[in-house]
Amino acid sequence: MPKVLLCLRGAAEAEALTAGLASRGMTVSRAATGEEALESAFASNPDLAAVETELPGINGFEVCRVFKRDLRTAATPVVLIGAASGRAEMLAGFEAGACEF
């Protein structure tokens, strides 16, 4: 069963995405901050991480950079979730190592 790490600020959005992913046979772990996302990822080695760009503490861009630098998570695809305000923000996400924005 694929493991997905979901890191979102909003509880309603996290619940909805968790339900949708679980209904497709995925195991979902959740984090509310960038620090929690990193801690969870290093402990559980998810198959995919979906991380919001605007997080308290470490933002989603930095979470993605750390994922890609650390051997435990370097191969984990990261999808950044956020309202990209323009091309520069999207490019920053891809430069951080995201596979999708």
Side-chain angles (χ1 to χ4, degrees):
M1 201 179 298
K3 297 181 292 183
V4 177
L5 171 61
L6 184 60
C7 186
L8 295 174
R9 291 178 299 164
E13 293 87 355
E15 284 294 325
L17 278 172
T18 298
L21 293 168
S23 74
R24 287 166 177 79
M26 298 178 200
T27 301
V28 181
S29 60
R30 291 185 12 203
T33 67
E35 292 86 348
E36 287 177 16
L38 293 171
E39 188 176 303
S40 177
F42 295 151
S44 68
N45 194 23
D47 298 303
L48 173 73
V51 182
E52 187 169 4
T53 57
E54 299 292 324
L55 294 170
I58 300 172
N59 68 33
F61 296 101
E62 186 58 26
V63 169
C64 190
R65 282 185 203 95
V66 172
F67 261 66
K68 296 305 165 184
R69 284 192 309 250
D70 193 289
L71 292 177
R72 295 170 288 183
T73 52
T76 304
V78 178
V79 175
L80 289 176
I81 300 171
S85 59
R87 182 180 173 155
E89 187 174 17
M90 289 184 74
L91 286 174
F94 292 124
E95 288 172 354
C99 66
E100 189 61 67
F101 198 107

